[in-house]
Amino acid sequence: MMAQLAAWWRARTARERSLMQIVVLLLCGVLAPAWAYLSAATFHAEAGARLAGARAVSADVGALSQAMRAQQATPIAVDGSIRERILEAANEIGLEIARLEPAGADRFRVVLQPSDSLAVYRWIEALGRSGALVSRTALARVDDTNLVTGEVEVAEAP
């Protein structure tokens, strides 16, 4: 293979060899570094976008953490039936319930209207503070929004 390449190279004229050497130098000296620079710049831009997204998520988590600490300072009344506590916690959070059906003794199946996902998690946390137990959840995201819909099964804590 090398002998064939050497024979081919020797068969070229001095001018052809010079032109080929210039082309190889151009490829290695200019185009390869330009390609490397463009690849690095693309990676840098994508990393910057991912970092901005991570910072936004971090800010959301911080805001949620502060809101949860503020809510924990105000205890939820434990008196009343499980049904009343489900409805009271939903009203406090601003969550809309589509259906509230009994699913057994001291157990309810709650079907949620499309709501903000953070509100749903706050509602679940408020139910826990009131002495209720969320035994099953099935949440689904609505399109490409922060809204979720789903079903939650709530029971009296043992």
Side-chain angles (χ1 to χ4, degrees):
M1 176 75 169
M2 289 299 288
Q4 291 174 341
L5 184 62
W8 177 83
W9 183 254
R10 282 191 301 271
R12 304 293 111 204
T13 64
R15 184 171 182 218
E16 289 176 332
R17 288 183 201 164
S18 297
L19 287 175
M20 285 186 207
Q21 289 171 346
I22 290 172
V23 167
V24 168
L25 286 175
L26 180 67
L27 286 174
C28 293
V30 176
L31 296 180
W35 173 78
Y37 173 78
L38 290 175
S39 297
T42 302
F43 175 78
H44 185 266
E46 291 172 356
R50 286 192 305 269
L51 179 62
R55 286 184 175 155
V57 168
S58 176
D60 289 345
V61 168
L64 180 59
S65 174
Q66 289 176 353
M68 287 179 67
R69 276 191 232 116
Q71 284 181 349
Q72 287 175 350
T74 59
I76 293 184
V78 179
D79 56 342
S81 69
I82 186 74
R83 179 181 171 81
E84 291 171 355
R85 286 186 278 162
I86 290 170
L87 293 172
E88 181 180 334
N91 286 337
E92 284 183 19
I93 303 295
L95 196 65
E96 293 184 38
I97 295 177
R99 282 192 321 250
L100 181 62
E101 305 169 342
D106 292 334
R107 182 175 294 273
F108 285 90
R109 185 173 151 261
V110 182
V111 179
L112 303 171
Q113 291 282 9
S115 306
D116 182 48
S117 59
L118 294 177
V120 173
Y121 295 128
R122 287 184 187 129
W123 174 70
I124 291 172
E125 194 270 334
L127 286 174
R129 286 188 290 125
S130 74
L133 175 69
V134 176
S135 61
R136 186 182 68 82
T137 60
L139 300 176
R141 190 173 179 182
V142 178
D143 297 326
D144 286 333
T145 65
N146 285 337
L147 299 179
V148 295
T149 186
E151 298 179 6
V152 179
E153 196 168 293
V154 182
E156 192 70 51

